[in-house]
Structures are given as structure tokens and as C-alpha cells.
Amino acid sequence: MRPTPLTAWVDGVGFLAPGMPDWPTACAILRGEQAYTPAPSVLPVPNVLPPAERRRASRVVKLALALGLEAAAHAEADVGTLATVFTASGADGHNCHALCEQLATDDRRISPTRFHNSVHNAAAGYWGIATGAMAPCQVLCAFDASFGAGLLDALAQVVVDQRATLLIAYDSEYPEPLHRKRPIPDCAGVALLLTPVESVRSLARIAVTPSTDDAARLADGELESLRTTIPALRSLPLLQRLARREGGSVCLDYLPPMQLRVDCVPC
């Protein structure tokens, strides 16, 4: 028997990656209207945070806030009411590096700021401070399958709880020597606002089922490299469908041999 799909409407998208500072830029590149030019990721100042928290915000916190706020603004949604799912393959690489450096010295005292930024749910905590959100929040990690795990969790909440859910998937690079073991080139991520019913802002309806097909690849070699080296960007084949307003199916990497088939119907 074919499994019942998990379905939702995509009402908003946030995006940030090397050479693509936001979703409109990514749309132009994914549609082939603009050539992709590699450049370091540029993280916006998180002005939604109070000054003290703004000074302490790490790269992943700035990234996650930028992604979530762009998707919510795209959908004209009240961020304080949205359930959230945060998913990352390894959280804050720079903070992890700094902790390891400190622990390798004779003085192993860790600063409180370093410590509280080291936990995997740090970005979710800063999101709550910034938005005042009191809605349910999940924080996940599934290594290279983190985007797929987050997508399934968010869709389950949309289907079961019948409430709008904001998925924020993000990754950060590690400095050397950790970079040699985990060669993520830069920070990047995507946010999708998923809703149980269609609205005037809906981009497409998606339905997700298990698959054993090979994951879809991107024709542009540099974009394909981003897809394979930054786990959150396993989402790129789906984002290309959304950018082009194309229907059809794409297969996304998950936990091989299990993959995720996404059927997309544009609005």
C-alpha cells in the first residue's frame, strides 16, 4: 500500500547562502535569470534582539533569525503565534572551535556566554527572545539528513495539529582543524512556512512520501556543490520548483536508502 502523504501549503520562504543573501536573489538564480556568483554568506544584524543579546548572538543565531523572519514576512504571518521546528546538522561551528581551544589550555574555565551558545537549541532560545513566541518549538539534529527530518516533523505538526508551522533549517562552517573532518564551506539555510490550508499568499502545495529513488541533482555545478556540502541545502531541488512555479516531483536526500519524494503543485 502507498503511504498517506504528509501535505501542506508553502506560504513563505526565507533563504540565505553563499552568493545568495535572500529568497528573491535565490529565485532569480534558480530560475536561470541571473548567473550564480560565489561569495561569502552575509549575515544581517539581528536588530529584533535586545542590545545585550544582539552582542552575544553567534553566526547560527543571526542566520536562523534572518531565515525565519524573511519567511514570516513573505507570508505576512505573526511570528509570535507560529509553531517552529529548528533543524541543524551541527549547530555553531565557531563556538565549538572556541570551546575546544579554551579546553586545550591550562585555564579550562568557559565563559557563560560561550556555554549557553554551545547548546543545540541556542537559536531557538534567541528566536523566543526576539519574537516573544510561546508556541510549540522542536529542535532537531540528524546530521546530513537534518533538513529531511525537520521537514517531516514540521509537516506532522501541520497535519496533526492543523496549525501553521515554521521550519528553519541551517548549518554553519567549522574553522580548522575541525573543518577537515566536517568540510561545510560556509553558513547557509532555508525557512519554509507551512500551513494546513491555502491562502492568497500560498506558493504551492507539497505532499511528501518515502522513496528509494536517487536524490534530484542541480544542473549548475556550483549550486550542486552547495547542495551536497551544506546539509540544509539538500532542499535546493524543491526550492527550484518553488522559484520556477513548476509542478511535478523531486526526490530529496534523507537517510539512504530512504529518501523523500516531494510532489509539488504550484498555486
Side-chain angles (χ1 to χ4, degrees), residues 29-252:
I29 291 170
L30 291 171
R31 287 196 293 257
E33 300 168 354
Q34 178 179 325
Y36 174 66
T37 302
S41 293
V42 178
L43 299 175
V45 176
N47 290 320
V48 292
L49 287 170
E53 283 72 24
R54 194 182 311 149
R55 288 192 299 272
R56 300 185 185 109
S58 65
R59 284 173 65 77
V60 294
V61 168
K62 294 174 184 177
L63 173 61
L65 288 176
L67 294 168
L69 292 172
E70 185 185 15
H74 186 190
E76 299 180 8
D78 179 358
V79 291
T81 65
L82 297 174
T84 49
V85 176
F86 291 79
T87 183
S89 70
D92 189 342
H94 285 266
N95 195 58
C96 179
H97 172 80
L99 289 172
C100 290
E101 279 193 323
Q102 185 65 35
L103 291 171
T105 69
D106 293 333
D107 181 5
R108 296 186 177 184
R109 291 173 295 180
I110 300 298
S111 78
T113 299
R114 286 285 184 204
F115 178 75
H116 85 242
N117 277 335
S118 71
V119 296
H120 194 68
N121 63 349
Y126 279 92
W127 175 266
I129 294 169
T131 66
M134 299 292 288
C137 175
Q138 301 285 348
V139 183
L140 306 177
C141 177
F143 199 57
D144 285 347
S146 292
F147 174 76
L151 180 62
L152 291 176
D153 191 291
L155 286 169
Q157 292 191 57
V158 171
V159 171
V160 174
D161 298 332
Q162 288 292 291
R163 69 179 301 161
T165 302
L166 180 62
L167 168 64
I168 304 176
Y170 54 96
D171 288 293
S172 171
E173 76 283 8
Y174 288 87
E176 292 290 1
L178 294 172
H179 183 78
R180 273 171 273 171
K181 294 296 184 182
R182 186 63 170 154
I184 294 174
D186 204 341
C187 63
V190 58
L192 299 175
L193 180 55
L194 304 172
T195 63
V197 294
E198 184 180 9
S199 75
V200 295
R201 295 171 297 278
S202 296
L203 299 174
R205 179 181 182 269
I206 60 171
V208 177
T209 51
S211 175
T212 55
D213 293 340
D214 293 334
R217 299 169 62 89
L218 299 175
D220 184 291
E222 290 178 310
L223 294 179
E224 174 63 12
S225 178
L226 291 178
R227 185 190 75 84
T228 57
T229 58
I230 303 177
L233 299 191
R234 302 294 197 272
S235 57
L236 276 172
L238 170 60
L239 298 180
Q240 189 170 62
R241 292 275 181 178
L242 295 177
R244 294 179 175 180
R245 298 295 182 98
E246 289 180 346
S249 300
V250 292
C251 191
L252 305 182

Side-chain angles (χ1 to χ4, degrees), residues 10-24:
V10 180
D11 273 22
V13 183
F15 190 82
L16 196 156
M20 294 178 280
D22 51 32
W23 177 235

